[in-house]
Structures are given as C-alpha cells and as structure tokens.
Amino acid sequence: MYQVLKQLIFIGFLLPLTVWALPEDSEKTIHIVADASEFNYKTGVDTYEGNVRIDQGTTHLRADRLVTQKNEHHKIVSAIAYGVQRRAKYSTIPKEGDLVLNAEAKVIKYFPVTATIILEDDVRVTQGENSFNGPHIIYNMKDQTVSAPASKNGRATIIIEPKQLKS
C-alpha cells in the first residue's frame, strides 16, 4: 500500500502538474480554464474561481477554487485546491502500464519547497481496487513518508488488493 500511496499522493500538482504522471505529460501544453481568474503580480497570489479545470496530457485537476502563491523569483511556493460544492479531484497515470490514480478531498495542498502534499477533509484516494479513505493524509516526497494522523473526524480505512501491488 505504501507504493500505492506514494504514487497516489501524487501531486507535483500544478507546476509541475505532472511530477507523478507519465513523463510525456510534462511535454504537453497546460490548459487552465476557470470562470474567473486574478493575477496579483505584487503579492504573487494567483486565484482561479469557479469550475477550475487544469489538464496536461493524462493529468487532470478539478476544483471549485485554486490559489497559488509565488515567491519573489516567481516560483510557486504553495498551490491549494478547494472543493467547495464538491471535493477537489486529481487524476493521472503515474507511469506506463499503471492504473489511473484518483485523489479527492475538500482541500488539496502542495508545498514544493518542503515537498509536502496534504489532503484534508473527506479524503479518498484510489488506484484500481486499492483505496484510502480518511479525514487527513500527509505525504512528504523527500522523506517518502505517508502519515494519516489521528482525527476527531473519523478513522482511516486502507484497502489493498495484493494482485495489484508491484515489486
């Protein structure tokens, strides 16, 4: 399951959107569509509102709202996708021959500087028959650690299909 979670918590999400996707996805054009967007060059905060869709090859993100924060060098330091009316959704094919990886949560946060991805509130991650459901999951890409901290909002459930695990 660690391998599934490692692949699944996924996201070199948004620039580069395809860190856990097929290598050829990084060569594809990024398409961003939203009902409204605002770019603040002074603060480095970019906001996309309403039916946000980001597509790059086989990698897709859907959210009601997306906020990115850039530093003085115009590098993204955080990207936060919000599911207001429904969960934010991310899907990709991690590598050739893999099943589609799907992740959903009310909030999906990505912090490139610390290589940390946080899924919050009503989290569901699936790849084939393998799944994780719970209130909160944290993935540190540098340390390759996945944690599901204790929560007052429920317990984590992990389902592993042995025939889908790869060595």
Side-chain angles (χ1 to χ4, degrees), residues 65-86:
R65 183 171 196 247
L66 176 70
V67 178
T68 63
Q69 172 72 55
K70 291 182 276 195
N71 65 16
E72 63 277 0
H73 304 291
H74 306 288
K75 301 287 184 189
I76 291 180
V77 294
S78 70
I80 304 173
Y82 298 92
V84 178
Q85 297 178 8
R86 59 194 173 281

Side-chain angles (χ1 to χ4, degrees), residues 10-137:
F10 42 47
I11 292 183
F13 138 80
L14 196 61
L15 305 175
L17 182 64
T18 55
V19 107
W20 294 103
L22 291 172
E24 54 269 22
D25 277 2
S26 66
E27 302 298 319
K28 307 283 181 168
T29 301
I30 298 173
H31 298 270
I32 302 173
V33 178
D35 292 343
S37 57
E38 179 178 297
F39 303 93
N40 187 322
Y41 295 102
K42 187 175 182 177
T43 65
V45 176
D46 298 338
T47 305
Y48 304 86
E49 297 271 354
N51 300 309
V52 180
R53 295 179 46 197
I54 302 174
D55 298 302
Q56 187 179 24
T58 65
T59 302
H60 312 282
L61 175 69
R62 304 289 183 263
D64 295 316
R65 183 171 196 247
L66 176 70
V67 178
T68 63
Q69 172 72 55
K70 291 182 276 195
N71 65 16
E72 63 277 0
H73 304 291
H74 306 288
K75 301 287 184 189
I76 291 180
V77 294
S78 70
I80 304 173
Y82 298 92
V84 178
Q85 297 178 8
R86 59 194 173 281
R87 290 183 284 198
K89 297 181 180 185
Y90 174 87
S91 67
T92 194
I93 299 174
K95 64 182 181 200
E96 191 68 43
D98 280 359
L99 297 171
V100 174
L101 176 88
N102 294 291
E104 300 181 15
K106 290 286 188 175
V107 181
I108 301 173
K109 299 177 180 179
Y110 172 54
F111 303 96
V113 174
T114 59
T116 303
I117 298 162
I118 301 170
L119 296 158
E120 297 177 340
D121 197 7
D122 200 16
V123 176
R124 176 158 176 79
V125 180
T126 60
Q127 188 174 29
E129 294 177 38
N130 298 317
S131 67
F132 170 90
N133 292 296
H136 194 94
I137 188 167

